Amino acid sequence: MRFEGQTAVVTGAGRGIGHAIAVRLANEGARIASVSRTSDNAEKTAAEINSKRADSARAYAVDVGDHAAVQKIGESILRDFGRVDILVNNAGITRDAFSVRMSPTDWDAVLNTNLKGAFNFVQAVQRAMTRQRNGRIINISSIIGIIGNAGQTNYAASKAGLIGFTKSLARELASRNITVNAIAPGYVATDMTSALTEDVQKFLQEKIPLKRVAQPEEIAAAVAFLASAEASYITGQVLCVDGGIVM
Ligand code: NDP
């Protein structure tokens, strides 16, 4: 129970990797603010956690890209839980197209959700963490932000942006005993990747040294490590959890 007495905010907790992160942190004692775009999915995750430990999770529906709405959600979370110890910026989308055909709308949607969404939530909780003189911020980037990918200029820019954001924020908040790190997953079995054709999935698996895609729980395990006391001297880092693609 490494997170007993702590509160974790997990964005995109309704499905996929975010769901696995919320469940993992809850299983280790954290109370969870389950944030998703849709209230249905946010509620589903909170209900699953509450079924194991009553009143330990609450659901919040918000578009992470909406700065004003996120500040209000942050206030609600602080009112409901009294503190925030861990923030996991996980909500993310893809809108793939080659750059020549990419619409400005798809560019903005990806940057707003994946990059500005993280900034918005950091602004919503950072004062509380600063007052506590303790905090863990974990941003879910991607190996695509490191190695790039044709057809994903918007996504790669957002995920590379998150890495720069992570390192700068780590420098800003270090004196307050708040660590800021990023995780760069490789290919993970979620709704996001199930859209890939079988051929593409086979091709990807052959390029992965461990010869398989990750399960969401394997990303959640890395988040739990970075959120834990054992990671107290790690900040400004990017941890690739990718079966060996980037090395
Ligand atoms: P999914 O598509 O399975 O789930 C995305 C989650 O983000 C959902 O809960 C969704 O909410 C939420 N979300 C999306 N847009 C918004 C928004 N504007 N406001 C609030 N919540 C939002 O994605 P994954 O679990 O696969 O991915 C999670 C993160 O991991 C993303 O940042 C992704 O880029 C990253 N990643 C994923 C990889 C993979 O292979 N799957 C690889 C590398 C990185 P709702 O459920 O309510 O719709």
Side-chain angles (χ1 to χ4, degrees):
M1 298 299 253
R2 290 188 285 184
F3 307 116
E4 193 74 63
Q6 297 192 21
T7 300
V9 178
V10 183
T11 71
R15 286 184 283 133
I17 295 171
H19 168 265
I21 293 168
V23 169
R24 171 71 191 247
L25 297 178
N27 284 344
E28 294 201 47
R31 296 187 301 164
I32 303 293
S34 164
V35 179
S36 228
R37 182 178 36 189
T38 62
S39 53
D40 269 11
N41 287 345
E43 294 280 357
K44 236 183 266 169
T45 298
E48 180 185 339
I49 292 168
N50 285 331
S51 72
K52 290 186 204 145
R53 196 155 52 103
D55 288 336
S56 60
R58 278 176 183 250
Y60 305 86
V62 72
D63 174 356
V64 295
D66 181 339
H67 184 269
V70 168
Q71 304 319 299
K72 283 203 183 116
I73 292 288
E75 285 163 20
S76 303
I77 292 172
L78 283 163
R79 232 187 352 261
D80 293 343
F81 291 97
R83 57 185 298 120
V84 172
D85 303 277
I86 301 162
L87 167 65
V88 185
N89 284 310
N90 163 81
I93 57 169
T94 52
R95 294 281 184 279
D96 298 350
F98 287 109
S99 59
V100 67
R101 279 192 298 271
M102 183 174 291
S103 73
T105 312
D106 283 350
W107 176 273
D108 288 345
V110 169
L111 270 291
N112 268 334
T113 303
N114 299 7
L115 184 54
K116 189 176 168 210
F119 162 73
N120 290 344
F121 259 95
V122 164
Q123 279 212 326
V125 306
Q126 131 176 51
R127 284 192 181 84
M129 282 185 176
T130 300
R131 275 195 302 274
Q132 291 163 200
R133 285 282 193 275
N134 183 54
R136 293 277 193 275
I137 297 173
I138 297 155
N139 298 317
I140 306 300
S141 178
S142 165
I143 58 160
I144 301 306
I146 300 170
I147 63 177
N149 197 20
Q152 289 198 306
T153 51
N154 51 357
Y155 185 76
S158 73
K159 295 300 186 178
L162 267 181
I163 291 173
F165 176 65
T166 298
K167 292 181 180 182
S168 301
L169 193 63
R171 290 185 188 279
E172 284 187 13
L173 299 182
S175 64
R176 307 292 195 267
N177 196 33
I178 299 168
T179 67
V180 188
N181 292 289
I183 289 179
Y187 293 91
V188 189
T190 67
D191 292 347
M192 190 177 269
T193 43
S194 65
L196 301 173
T197 64
E198 245 175 62
D199 277 358
V200 175
Q201 294 201 31
K202 215 172 146 223
F203 172 76
L204 289 173
Q205 285 185 33
E206 275 158 17
K207 290 187 92 170
I208 302 170
L210 284 179
K211 299 283 175 235
R212 63 176 179 85
V213 299
Q215 292 306 308
E217 291 71 22
E218 294 178 291
I219 311 304
V223 171
F225 166 65
L226 287 175
S228 74
E230 286 95 319
S232 53
Y233 205 57
I234 301 174
T235 196
Q237 299 305 305
V238 182
L239 177 57
C240 291
V241 185
D242 64 351
I245 299 172
V246 176
M247 63 167 86

